[in-house]
Amino acid sequence: MAITNHKNITIIGAGYVGLSTAALLSNCGYKVYLIEIDKQRLDTINTGKSFFYEDGIDPLIKNALEKESLIPTDNYMTAVQDSSIVFSCVGTPDNPDGSSNLSYVYSAAQETAKYIASGSVFVQKSTVPVGTGESIEEMFKTKGVNVAYVSNPEFLREGTAISDSLWFDRIVAGGQDKDAVNDIINVYKKLEQNRNSVAKIAGLSQEYTSKGEYFSTNRNSAELIKVTSNAFLALKISFANSIAKLADKTNADVVEVMDAVGADKRIGRAFLNAGRGYGGGCFPKDVSGLISSGLHHGVDLKIMTSATEVNESMPSYIVEKIQDIVHELKGRKVAVLGLSFKSGTSDARKSPGVKLANILSKNGAIVSVFDPKASNEASDDLRRDISIEGSMLKAISNSDVVVIATDWPEFIKTDWLRLKSKMSGDLFVDAVNSFEKGELTKQGFKYMGIGR
Ligand code: UGA
C-alpha cells in the first residue's frame, strides 16, 4: 500500500533523534510538524534553538521556522491529521531491571491512532526491543486503524548528529508492507539528494564522500539491527578495556596494541579506544535492553553481561590506579575535566566523568570539575561536595591530580606546560588515552593512561 495522497510529516518527540530528524527533513522540502509535550523545550525550539548542544542544528531550526516548514506543536490532532507519515521518536528509558520502558512508545502510538488517516505510514525510530512493532501493529488493528508500520532505527551519534544523518553509512527500513518501506526509503533519498544544500544551511563542511547503503528488511530484523549494532560497539569498547587491564599488568601499551590489531580490516580500529568506558543515553540502556530481550526469549546473552560488568568496573579501576600512585586520596585535590559522556555534546547521562568525580569524592578527595558544555546537565548527578568550576584554569588551580574524562579538543590542545604551573601536584590522568605520553612526561607530568 503506497501512500497515494502524500501530505506532510509528523515527528513525535523533540529529543536528540526527533529534533535532529525534524531539523533535517524540514530543510529538504518537507513540511514537518514536531510534536513535543514539554512546554519549555517547545519554547526554546520556537526561538530557533535546540535545547541541547549539537553542531549545525540551530541554523537548520531557525531556517525552517522562518520558511514555516517546521511547525513545533503540542497538538497531536492538527499535526497527525495533516500528515501521511508519522515518525515516532520518543524516549525509551530503562526500567530498574534493565528492560526498556516502552510507556512513551505505546502512548505515542495510541495517541496517533486517534487521528491518523487510513493509508498513512507509522514509522518507529525509537530504539525498541525486537517484537515491539508486532504488538503496535496489533494495537492499530484492534482499533480498526489501517496504517502500515515501518521500523526505521536511527544510527546518528550525538555531537555529530547532523553530519551522520547527511552522510549516513546505512538507512534501515523494515516492515511487512514493502510499498510503505519504499516510501520511507524515498524520504531519505530526498534528504540525500539535498545533502549539500542542507549542510550549507547547517554551516557544516561538505567534504565527506560516503555513499550510504539502503537496507529494506523485515520489521523484526530492523528492530534487531539497531540494538545489535550498539551492542557490538559496546562489546568492542569493553574488549579494549579488558585488554587495557592486562596491558597495565604486563607493561604493554593498549594504544599500540589496538592500532595494530585494528589495522586488520576484518577487525577495524574504530571503537577500540580503551579508557573510562562508555556512557550516554544509548549504549548502557541498549545493552541492558538486549540482555533482557534475550532472557525474555530464553536466550542468555552472557557476552553482553560481561561487557556491562567490564564497563561498570572502569571508573573504580581508574580511581584505584590513582590511589596506588598517590597512596592516600583523602584531602588530595583532584580536578576532573569532562562531564559529558563524550565530547561534542552537553549530554551527561550515565557519564563516566561524573562517576569518576563521585568515586573520588567518596574516597575523600577534594574534587573540582569543569566541562565546556555539560556542567548544567551533570550538576544533579554530582555529589554535593564537588565544586563545579566555570573554567579549566579554576578547576585545576592548586590540584594535586588532573583527570581528563572526556576528549574535548580544548583539553587536548591546551598548553599543559602553562597549566602545570598552576597545579600543586604533577599527576596527569588520561582517562581517554588521547594524549601523547612522551609530551606530557617531557613537560614534567607523571602520566597515567589506561593500559599504557
Ligand atoms: C551511539 C551509536 O554510536 C550511534 O550509532 C547510535 O545511533 C546511538 O548510540 C543511539 O543509539 O542513538 P552515541 O551514544 O551518541 O551513539 O555515542 P558514541 O559515539 O557511540 O559513544 C558512546 C560512548 O562510548 C561514549 O561514552 C564514548 O566516549 C565511548 N567510547 C566510544 C569509548 O569509550 N571508546 C571508543 O572507542 C568509542
Side-chain angles (χ1 to χ4, degrees):
M1 171 179 75
I3 300 172
T4 42
N5 188 10
H6 183 68
K7 289 192 274 185
N8 306 308
I9 290 177
T10 282
I11 292 177
I12 309 171
Y16 289 94
V17 172
L19 185 52
S20 305
T21 311
L24 288 160
L25 296 183
S26 59
N27 276 286
C28 72
Y30 290 105
K31 177 170 164 186
V32 177
Y33 291 95
L34 175 62
I35 302 180
E36 174 55 54
I37 48 173
D38 182 323
K39 171 112 185 27
Q40 220 177 335
R41 275 191 189 184
L42 212 52
D43 288 347
T44 310
I45 297 165
N46 269 316
T47 65
K49 284 205 173 86
S50 166
F51 61 93
F52 52 82
Y53 171 74
E54 183 67 56
D55 200 13
I57 200 168
D58 287 357
L60 290 175
I61 297 174
K62 195 164 170 283
N63 186 56
L65 286 175
E66 276 164 15
K67 284 191 321 190
E68 295 180 5
S69 59
L70 177 64
I71 301 151
T73 175
D74 59 359
N75 190 322
Y76 268 83
M77 190 174 76
T78 38
V80 175
Q81 278 179 348
D82 196 29
S83 300
S84 51
I85 299 176
V86 175
F87 284 90
S88 176
C89 305
V90 296
T92 50
D94 42 357
N95 286 317
D97 68 355
S99 63
S100 306
N101 178 342
L102 297 177
S103 57
Y104 301 120
V105 168
Y106 285 112
S107 64
Q110 274 154 355
E111 208 48 38
T112 302
K114 292 184 193 163
Y115 310 110
I116 195 165
S118 173
S120 302
V121 184
F122 182 84
V123 190
Q124 189 64 259
K125 263 188 116 48
S126 303
T127 302
V128 293
V130 54
T132 307
E134 204 170 343
S135 68
I136 295 178
E137 276 187 357
E138 272 310 307
M139 182 276 286
F140 283 142
K141 267 194 205 130
T142 322
K143 290 184 184 292
V145 176
N146 174 32
V147 292
Y149 182 98
V150 175
S151 165
N152 166 227
E154 183 52 65
F155 300 104
L156 59 80
R157 291 163 302 171
E158 286 174 31
T160 48
I162 303 302
S163 53
D164 280 353
S165 306
L166 293 174
W167 286 277
F168 52 84
D169 285 340
R170 80 289 211 199
I171 296 294
V172 174
Q176 313 314 94
D177 183 328
K178 292 301 159 208
D179 289 332
V181 167
N182 237 350
D183 284 333
I184 299 315
I185 287 199
N186 284 335
V187 170
Y188 289 97
K189 288 200 167 151
K190 189 160 175 182
L191 179 62
E192 189 180 8
Q193 280 156 14
N194 289 286
R195 60 162 58 135
N196 289 327
S197 61
V198 177
K200 205 166 163 201
I201 301 167
L204 298 176
S205 87
Q206 296 161 46
E207 65 213 21
Y208 306 89
T209 48
S210 104
K211 177 102 191 76
E213 279 185 69
Y214 292 91
F215 292 88
S216 324
T217 67
N218 84 26
R219 181 197 53 223
N220 291 20
S221 302
E223 288 172 343
L224 201 49
I225 287 166
K226 165 69 191 198
V227 279
T228 304
S229 298
N230 276 1
F232 189 72
L233 293 172
L235 198 59
K236 283 186 93 175
I237 299 168
S238 280
F239 180 75
N241 280 329
S242 305
I243 300 298
K245 288 183 182 178
L246 180 59
D248 269 337
K249 292 270 186 292
T250 54
N251 218 5
D253 183 334
V254 73
V255 177
E256 290 177 357
V257 172
M258 290 309 167
D259 281 348
V261 169
D264 182 331
K265 288 193 181 63
R266 294 168 304 172
I267 298 171
R269 180 62 177 86
F271 282 71
L272 286 177
N273 296 322
R276 74 322 188 239
Y278 56 81
C282 302
F283 285 1
K285 157 180 90 69
D286 290 354
V287 170
S288 68
L290 184 63
I291 294 169
S292 67
S293 253
L295 292 176
H296 179 73
H297 293 283
V299 179
D300 187 356
L301 287 158
K302 284 202 185 82
I303 191 165
M304 294 320 306
T305 316
S306 303
T308 307
E309 279 165 13
V310 172
N311 194 55
E312 283 172 1
S313 74
M314 293 316 290
S316 350
Y317 174 75
I318 294 169
V319 173
E320 277 161 32
K321 268 175 58 105
I322 298 174
Q323 216 151 9
D324 282 349
I325 297 173
V326 300
H327 305 299
E328 177 66 271
L329 268 174
K330 208 153 181 246
R332 296 271 182 177
K333 187 161 186 284
V334 184
V336 176
L337 304 185
L339 300 170
S340 56
F341 80 98
K342 63 171 185 179
S343 59
T345 175
S346 56
D347 191 348
R349 285 177 292 173
K350 302 226 162 92
S351 162
V354 171
K355 281 188 198 154
L356 272 167
N358 284 339
I359 300 171
L360 286 161
S361 138
K362 221 172 174 175
N363 280 284
I366 303 159
V367 181
S368 56
V369 293
F370 169 72
D371 189 283
K373 301 276 180 211
S375 297
N376 255 351
E377 293 189 30
S379 59
D380 283 351
D381 294 330
L382 287 167
R383 279 166 60 96
R384 289 260 162 93
D385 48 10
I386 294 176
S387 49
I388 304 175
E389 302 294 352
S391 74
M392 207 185 322
L393 188 64
K394 274 198 184 137
I396 66 141
S397 285
N398 302 317
S399 64
D400 299 298
V401 183
V402 58
V403 181
I404 310 294
T406 307
D407 55 348
W408 280 104
E410 44 264 73
F411 298 161
I412 294 165
K413 286 188 207 133
T414 207
D415 177 358
W416 279 103
L417 188 58
R418 186 179 67 85
L419 286 188
K420 189 173 173 290
S421 62
K422 313 284 176 206
M423 289 175 63
S424 310
D426 60 1
L427 181 58
F428 189 100
V429 180
D430 177 8
V432 281
N433 282 353
S434 294
F435 289 81
E436 285 294 329
K437 182 174 164 176
E439 262 313 296
L440 289 159
T441 317
K442 247 195 261 158
Q443 292 171 5
F445 280 106
K446 215 181 265 162
Y447 175 90
M448 183 196 118
I450 316 305
R452 305 187 79 183

